[in-house]
Amino acid sequence: MIGFYTLVAKESKRILRIWRQTLVPPIITTTLYFLIFGTLIGKRIGDMNGVSYMQFIAPGLIMMSAITASYTNSASSFFLSKFVRNIEELLVSPLSSHTIIWGYVAGSVVRGVLVGILVTAVALCFVSYEIHSWFVIILTMLMTTIAFGLGGLINAVFANNFDDIGTIPTFVLTPLTYLGGVFYSITLLPEFWQTVSQFNPIVYMISGFRYGFLGISDVSIYYTFGVLLLFIIVLYSWAYSLINRGVGLRS
């Protein structure tokens, strides 16, 4: 546990030390989203599923920021350890592969949750909520940041340079997020595209998080937790296999 706490403390201090890079950009970006999509465009759209458009998009924007933050944190931090050869010290230490994985993932959860809280504070400057379920909000946030923390870790294992770190977020994560129902309800889509959207895991995460705030959801909340649990199990098994075998970690 000492090794685990040390890794978590290192990751947390890193996040706070470079707060201008880790915490400030999501706040600025989300504020712009609220001003443009919420204030200007939202007035023309009107209500969405019985609530104002700004109330509808706020949970999605919070989750989108947390997803990006948690993924980026583990990907950049773990690859940096590879780049400066610090990872070799972990591999020869008595730390287990489980401890190494959870240490970096916990750091991603810390960053994702901090960003989520800050973006929520920004959202509350524009809208107000009567929270439907704190339990669903907290559990969805934790499970989502864990899943994407694992995804970022796997990305870092295979990355050979810093450009590889940005490939998945740019060409996979960002499109899936924007098509995940942040700015619209998938029930507005034609039947074919509704079916296609059900294969996008981010739809379940955003929908579940929105349910916690508003009590409305495009998919069953049970599907949300089922998809998240499946992703965590699959990604963790993959990450453990890679770290345990030292794939991409030894020169």
Side-chain angles (χ1 to χ4, degrees), residues 132-141 208-213 221 224-225:
H132 180 73
S133 174
W134 279 109
F135 174 77
V136 172
I137 290 174
I138 294 171
L139 186 59
T140 305
M141 173 64 74
F209 199 63
R210 183 176 287 128
Y211 176 84
F213 275 89
I221 191 65
T224 291
F225 292 133

Side-chain angles (χ1 to χ4, degrees), residues 25-38:
I27 296 175
I28 297 174
T29 302
T30 306
T31 302
L32 292 174
Y33 277 128
F34 276 115
L35 291 174
I36 297 171
F37 288 94

